[in-house]
Amino acid sequence: MAEHVSGLAERPVAETGAPMVGFENVIKSFKSRETGRKAFRALDNISYSVPRGAITGIIGRSGAGKSTLVRLVNGLERPSEGRVIVDGTDVAALDEVALRSQRRSIGMIFQHFNLLSSRTVYDNVAMPLEIAGMAKLDIKRRIEPLIDLVGLSERKHHYPAQLSGGQKQRVGIARALASEPKLLLSDEATSALDPETTQQILGLLKTINRDLGLTVLLITHEMEVVKAVTSRVAVMDKGQIVESGRTFDVFTAPQHETTRSMLAALPGGSLPDWIGRQVIADPKPGCNALLRLRFFGETADQPLVSRLMAVLDSPVNIIAGTVDEIAGEPYGTLYVAYSADPAIMQKADQFYAQTGLNAEVVGYVS
Amino acid sequence: MSPDMLISLLTKGTLQTLQMVIVSGLIGTALGLPIGIFLATSGKGELLQAPMLNRIVGLIVNATRSTPFIILVVAIIPFTRLVAGTSIGTQAAIVPLTVATIPFFARLVESAIREVDKGLIEAARAMGATPMQIVIKVLLAESKPAITLAFTLTIVSLIGYSAMVGAVGGGGLGDLGIRYGYQRFMPGVMLAVVVVLIVLVQAIQSAGDRLARSFDKKNRSQ
């Protein structure tokens, strides 16, 4: 597994050509069970493109509509209005028979794995090919390397009940890849796994994306997942996409309130409690200013903090901070406090303007 | 009664019971299985959506299930005569037994299939499976242990039902117990009948349990 994990740091495959999936003004409403008519809008006019060859994330809280959105792609759900174009075909317009053959070119993995308990690892992976009517020998030739790829060759005659969660999801991944799909849908695939196993599964997804050039569309409620593997992200809230773009941009400069509050849950995303309680909104004489400095792009590579200390010629107190990686790029957050004296504040502002360091006063502490 | 005579009566009764139970059990479950599958998959928003037909079949099943067996036996005598050519005897008794087995087994199969995780159906749909493939490769394959237990329960219940068809000359162990043990005051015969029935039921139940367990891959440890 080691090489999979280290693969996390690598850049995603280049995005090329027409989008793999295009949502065009998609609306999905459900009838309410009680009244039978008052419709609930799970998806409210969604337009979004999923680029080819990349890992794209859709993030949102539960009930935001992301599950419904991903199910439109393989026709498990039908839109009430709008078009869902997958590799040039409007899935929403297909009948059941055409949809079935379309589904064979789209793999899907699930939060609870959805493996057949009555089948061994091998037979689970073979299932999509059996369904497609492939000969037994061809199936064997196709799936043996896949079981190898997910590292389960030694367990291929085990039943799912004999596997750990991470192993089950690897079976799920091998099964999804069996029909050599052009697109892989991941529905909260790591949400039932522990953090370490999550990293392994994400590493595997990343390897698959890179080595097979497979487009991946994953939905999740975990910012960590988006941060680790996606190159693009769309944030959903109440049936709408409220923000989208390169993962790094969305993470470092979130525009929408939902994105900000979801990011606050990440380490370094918000002030530690003990200091947060002391922060006041307006300066008092003799108090310190509390700032959030964010390092990314060019500013991530330079020794800016020590230079700041030299420029200010006044004590700089480092309160909290993290250095992390988003979509393969370094990113750091540092909370610092220094005297709120106007002369010092002005020197600092000049320094930020010269160096391009992203700094923001979050409050004052005495 | 001489021991020889008792043994010959018991043997005859056991064979008649087995004949009734096996024939009606096999035909009844063979017909009940597809009905059970249909009941489990044809509701609104389900795989083979046919809500009207689902309700009609459900009604018929309920009606048959709620008719006391002994009344069913008498009520369908014309039908029995049509099928078996006669309305009395062991062969004739097989007809009402089969008719009673079909809805009984169908309901058991329905609940066994409803226990299958909906996520598996979704996964199979996502693979491009047809509804028929989902029924065979997912629903039946996954509920095989539960259906095996349902079959066992059906056979055991049939042994009980078969005791009642003595009323139409069906013979069998139950009939033997009533006519000799009860009506002729021969408690020894009654006891022998009960012992044979207990052994029979035990054997069927444990064979069914063992078979179901061998099908069940869910509760295996590492």
Side-chain angles (χ1 to χ4, degrees), chain B residues 128-160:
Chain B
T130 62
M132 211 43 176
Q133 286 173 321
I134 294 176
V135 166
I136 293 166
K137 287 178 189 290
V138 178
L139 296 180
L140 288 180
E142 286 290 300
S143 58
K144 207 158 129 193
I147 289 178
T148 307
L149 288 176
F151 180 75
T152 311
L153 181 61
T154 305
I155 296 296
V156 168
S157 306
L158 264 175
I159 291 175

Side-chain angles (χ1 to χ4, degrees), chain B residues 160-175:
Chain B
Y161 281 158
S162 73
M164 282 186 251
V165 291
V168 289
L173 286 170
D175 187 42

Side-chain angles (χ1 to χ4, degrees), chain B residues 59-213:
Chain B
L59 256 162
I60 296 171
V61 163
N62 286 347
T64 322
R65 295 260 286 127
S66 51
T67 310
F69 182 63
I70 191 70
I71 294 176
L72 185 81
V73 171
V74 179
I76 65 165
I77 281 178
F79 177 71
T80 304
R81 198 174 287 136
L82 191 75
V83 176
T86 170
S87 61
I88 46 170
T90 307
Q91 283 204 9
I94 288 172
V95 177
L97 282 172
T98 307
V99 170
T101 302
I102 296 170
F104 182 78
F105 189 60
R107 281 290 183 213
L108 291 177
V109 167
E110 180 191 3
S111 69
I113 287 177
R114 287 200 183 281
E115 284 298 302
V116 176
D117 185 355
K118 296 276 171 293
L120 298 183
I121 299 174
E122 187 177 48
R125 285 182 66 208
M127 287 174 210
T130 62
M132 211 43 176
Q133 286 173 321
I134 294 176
V135 166
I136 293 166
K137 287 178 189 290
V138 178
L139 296 180
L140 288 180
E142 286 290 300
S143 58
K144 207 158 129 193
I147 289 178
T148 307
L149 288 176
F151 180 75
T152 311
L153 181 61
T154 305
I155 296 296
V156 168
S157 306
L158 264 175
I159 291 175
Y161 281 158
S162 73
M164 282 186 251
V165 291
V168 289
L173 286 170
D175 187 42
L176 179 68
I178 294 284
R179 282 195 292 128
Y180 286 79
Y182 179 68
Q183 288 166 350
R184 296 187 193 178
F185 304 107
M186 295 167 88
V189 177
M190 182 69 93
L191 185 68
V193 163
V194 170
V195 168
V196 172
L197 283 174
I198 289 175
V199 170
L200 210 56
V201 168
Q202 278 293 344
I204 290 168
Q205 187 66 52
S206 56
D209 285 347
R210 198 169 314 154
L211 195 62
R213 221 172 309 131

